[in-house]
Amino acid sequence: MTYAKPLPNVDDDSRPQWEGFKQRRFLLFRCKTCGTWYWPKSFCRKHDNEPFFGNLEWAEATGRGKVFAFNIHRMAFHPGFANDIPYVYALIELDEGPLFGTNIVGCAPEDVQVGMPVEVTYEDITPEWTLPKFKPARAV
Amino acid sequence: MGKPRYAIVGLGMVTGPYPEGITARAAEAEAGRQAIADAGLRRGDIDGAVQLRRTAGGGERTPWADAFTRMLGVPAKFFFTVGRGGALAGLGIGTALGFLELGIAKYVLIAGGVEDWKSSRRTKEQGYRGMVHSEKAGYWGKPFGDLRAPSHHSFLAARHMYEYGTTSRQLGMIAVQQRAWACLNPRAKMYGRPITIEDHQSSPYVVEPYHLLDICLVSDGAVAFVLTTAERARDLAKKPVWVMGLGTGEVAESLWWDKQNYTHLAVKSAKEAAFAQAGIGVTDIDVAQLYDCFTGEVLFQLEDYGWAKKGEGGPFAEAGHIGPGGDIPVNTSGGLLSAYHYGDLTGLSEAVMQLRGGAGERQVKGAEVALVTGHGGELISPGMCSIHTSLVLGV
């Protein structure tokens, strides 16, 4: 059966991160000089940079965070999502700082709350693509 | 206040839905024809043209980039497209001023048209909802179902609700008051269809916390206007509407995930520049055309411009300041929510009509200073609508 939803729209700036998802690695862009984390890929804002991100790298992050804001989609804008509604789309405030947009799965939409601890979970949608979604976090 | 150096001297407007066979390109050309005639000019006078087009914020739509100038037959010496999401008129004016200043052009025709209603009818038959379904290169959220503007704009309302206790009813009162304006505007889509707060509350959730009635329309139509220098403006058919101030702000002034970006629009820099040039404060504004893709954006701007304190926009809107008879009339055409969605050209056309005193039943008495704001252009999904433009017009 063909996959009926839009696939990731990837370019060379985001490709390494998508390769990481496939290997169950949650990569963010990190400054090697001062340790600040970025997503999406950026020059470091805290000091001067080496040419073409020489002082930054994709590095494995915790894949943990808290719900910063969320909504509940109750209509399907695209026919591929008709069986998914209602679904939650959220901004996750990652432990490393950046906000990350993804779905919250593994609980009812009504149970999602701002501030709720969440962690990454991976969904292989095709042989080529893996989506990083978030679910309520287990206790650490 | 400095002496204004530029003015809008002609306005043309086509409102949809289009009859069979009319394109956005043709509507731009027709609105342009009207604007030139309105100014008392002839086609041969137009020596520059700018097309306004939503780019980042509304998806990439180039199929009508063919020149409306060719269709209209104006001898423009330059023609190109600008726009960022719904920030159109402010950026178009900002761009055209350079050509007037350098003496390259004397009269610049600026126009923007859409055929979103027509397109949305077509894509609805294929099972899609909302505007024409288009992919955006490098766009993050589509695999997760971040598919249309409410998918990410609703984060703003959600976060404001969380931080300040703002309620859906308070947002709904913005929609109700704008609908009351629309009911005074015979060209508005929702003319003759008043709503109550109960109608808002019982309208279905599209993307919670947004109900259907928190969300703007999709429209067919076009707006065009002629911009010229102050000395030329005085000799034309209509009373000039002066460009008193223009400013811009970008969310990317700070890190895009800075928390303030979820309870503020990028108003601060835009407002400071525009108000300083115009020599005005917020209390000098007689009529405000605030970009209203959703009710939340109006609420944020009521606070960001200073009509209400940060966090108190909800009670302010609920108390009824912004509708007919209110002390700060907002979106007097009905706006994007209830009249027609041409980006900030909806607000620009309405501001010109109000300042000329020709807004009919909805005329705000003695309107001399108008604010028009523009908004749009996501950085990335989760999308922050990045730009904000402030345009102060006056007579």
Side-chain angles (χ1 to χ4, degrees), chain B residues 152-324:
Chain B
H152 40 267
H153 282 248
S154 54
F155 287 143
L156 303 182
R159 189 68 199 180
H160 201 281
M161 288 170 155
Y162 173 76
E163 285 198 30
Y164 300 113
T166 303
T167 66
S168 171
R169 275 186 94 83
Q170 291 169 341
L171 291 170
M173 281 304 293
I174 292 169
V176 169
Q177 291 172 85
Q178 287 196 206
R179 184 62 68 87
W181 282 118
C183 288
L184 301 174
N185 176 9
R187 298 178 82 165
K189 166 99 170 182
M190 297 300 179
Y191 181 67
R193 296 162 70 180
I195 56 170
T196 64
I197 188 64
E198 282 68 35
D199 293 330
H200 172 273
Q201 291 290 289
S202 62
S203 70
Y205 276 126
V206 177
V207 177
E208 193 177 334
Y210 277 146
H211 291 269
L212 182 66
L213 291 178
D214 287 301
I215 300 176
C216 62
L217 308 169
V218 294
S219 304
D220 289 346
V223 173
F225 59 100
V226 178
L227 190 74
T228 190
T229 54
E231 64 275 16
R232 292 186 182 98
R234 295 179 203 283
D235 302 329
L236 297 175
K238 293 279 163 68
K239 179 169 76 168
V241 171
W242 303 110
V243 176
M244 297 169 68
L246 175 64
T248 59
E250 275 281 347
V251 165
E253 287 172 55
S254 54
L255 274 172
W256 71 272
W257 57 78
D258 276 359
K259 309 305 177 272
Q260 63 166 4
N261 288 342
Y262 292 85
T263 47
H264 296 71
L265 302 188
V267 167
K268 191 168 177 289
S269 311
K271 171 190 159 183
E272 282 172 7
F275 284 19
Q277 291 161 30
I280 64 157
V282 70
T283 53
D284 296 312
I285 294 167
D286 299 313
V287 59
Q289 312 298 339
L290 307 180
Y291 199 86
D292 59 324
C293 41
F294 301 92
T295 50
E297 274 72 3
V298 178
L299 182 110
F300 281 30
Q301 290 174 83
L302 289 171
E303 298 174 351
D304 293 341
Y305 278 97
W307 286 291
K309 283 193 189 133
K310 185 48 67 181
E312 295 177 9
F316 182 85
E318 199 167 24
H321 295 273
I322 65 174

Side-chain angles (χ1 to χ4, degrees), chain B residues 362-384:
Chain B
R362 65 187 191 281
Q363 179 66 44
V364 174
K365 264 197 197 147
E368 292 181 346
V369 178
L371 173 68
V372 179
T373 69
H375 170 78
E378 292 106 340
L379 283 176
I380 189 170
S381 167
M384 293 313 308

Side-chain angles (χ1 to χ4, degrees), chain B residues 134-157:
Chain B
S134 57
E135 282 294 344
K136 306 175 192 184
Y139 193 85
W140 171 258
K142 288 202 173 182
F144 306 99
D146 173 359
L147 294 157
R148 300 264 67 90
S151 299
H152 40 267
H153 282 248
S154 54
F155 287 143
L156 303 182

